[in-house]
Amino acid sequence: MKKTIALVLVAIMTLFMFTACNNAEDEVPTRVPGNNLVSPDVNLNDNPDLNINNSWSNNYYAMFTYYCPAQGYNTATVISERKTENCFIISNPMDGSFKYYVNNETGMEEYAVNPAKNIFNYVSHSGKNVANNINSMFKNVSMVTENFTKGPDVVYTGTETVADRNCWMYLQRTYTESGEVDQVAYIWIDAVYGFCSKCITYSGGDIVCSWELQDFSVGTVKDADITPDLSSYNFTQN
């Protein structure tokens, strides 16, 4: 059985939560430049320890692009997220679609708006709340385990900034049963919080999946920043 790249699997398994949003129009490259591969022997035993710190996930703003043809994301989709302990919104600013979650006295309300598909849904979740029951798409796709850098096929290649944040850079390879390289992933890990802020996975020279953080802030989001104007929508309750 072929090995798979854990970061990409997490991304694919969690995309269901963003079905209200459509793709944007920004194109992404689909081929690897000829000189883009890093030697597999570079700094093989020089992998710095990661600092996995999820404290940011209680109050943050993140905007990132996502590309994954296997999930219907054939162009780079712009995704924006804002979260507090009381409410959360994930949206596509290119087409106006979003999902909005907010706590109430008995649980949590969910609103889904997708003008392109004429979807305006409302769901009440009794006994649930944003802080404990909502896990963002960005947190899911960017999840990294503490032992990631200790993998035998993970190579530390240096440092670089993503969205003006310092990152560790890695190369990860997976193989077929016959020992040939199956997939190559370039991975950028945030040096402060330990999430994957950028990832590009190739197979046979083609991009399989990619995402990249564009903007990020922690501890600055207020409920008023999240609350959308729902007065112009006619919701159907599920």
Side-chain angles (χ1 to χ4, degrees):
M1 180 180 297
K2 295 180 179 180
K3 294 181 181 178
T4 54
I5 295 176
L7 289 169
V8 175
L9 282 182
V10 170
I12 293 174
M13 291 297 290
T14 58
L15 282 176
F16 70 92
M17 73 172 290
F18 196 45
T19 54
C21 294
N22 287 337
N23 292 348
E25 299 299 325
D26 298 331
E27 296 292 340
V28 297
T30 57
R31 300 291 298 182
V32 187
N35 61 353
N36 203 29
L37 288 178
V38 177
S39 170
D41 298 321
V42 173
N43 298 327
L44 186 58
N45 298 312
D46 192 24
N47 292 357
D49 292 330
L50 298 180
N51 177 36
I52 307 297
N53 180 351
N54 291 318
S55 62
W56 61 271
S57 61
N58 293 322
N59 184 298
Y60 73 94
Y61 162 66
M63 184 174 68
F64 60 102
T65 54
Y66 189 87
Y67 170 75
C68 188
Q71 292 295 314
Y73 289 78
N74 297 312
T75 57
T77 301
V78 178
I79 299 172
S80 173
E81 294 185 354
R82 285 181 171 86
K83 186 180 181 183
T84 66
E85 292 188 356
N86 187 58
C87 47
F88 171 75
I89 190 166
I90 177 170
S91 61
N92 181 344
M94 301 299 293
D95 65 8
S97 59
F98 63 85
K99 279 192 175 182
Y100 170 63
Y101 302 82
V102 61
N103 293 336
N104 59 25
E105 294 181 355
T106 61
M108 178 178 67
E109 299 174 337
E110 173 188 345
Y111 298 86
V113 173
N114 188 334
K117 294 185 177 181
N118 199 32
I119 296 175
F120 309 98
N121 288 339
Y122 167 80
V123 183
S124 179
H125 302 279
S126 179
K128 296 185 177 182
N129 61 72
V130 170
N132 296 327
N133 300 109
I134 293 298
N135 197 6
S136 78
M137 179 179 173
F138 178 70
K139 184 176 180 180
N140 283 327
V141 301
S142 65
M143 187 181 301
V144 179
T145 61
E146 291 184 358
N147 61 353
F148 167 74
T149 62
K150 307 305 179 184
D153 299 312
V154 176
V155 181
Y156 171 64
T157 62
T159 61
E160 193 173 273
T161 60
V162 176
D164 294 325
R165 299 181 60 81
N166 294 331
C167 295
W168 307 116
M169 296 171 58
Y170 296 90
L171 169 70
Q172 183 180 21
R173 297 157 294 165
T174 62
Y175 302 89
T176 65
E177 292 180 352
S178 61
E180 297 178 350
V181 175
D182 180 32
Q183 291 187 344
V184 176
Y186 294 90
I187 298 166
W188 289 254
I189 305 296
D190 189 87
V192 174
Y193 292 108
F195 55 69
C196 177
S197 58
K198 182 178 178 180
C199 179
I200 310 175
T201 302
Y202 300 101
S203 180
D206 295 314
I207 292 181
V208 176
C209 186
S210 69
W211 65 87
E212 180 174 356
L213 187 67
Q214 303 294 325
D215 198 5
F216 185 78
S217 62
V218 177
T220 62
V221 183
K222 300 178 176 60
D223 290 349
D225 300 329
I226 297 177
T227 308
D229 182 5
L230 302 174
S231 62
S232 59
Y233 306 108
N234 294 320
F235 288 95
T236 300
Q237 186 167 357
N238 291 339

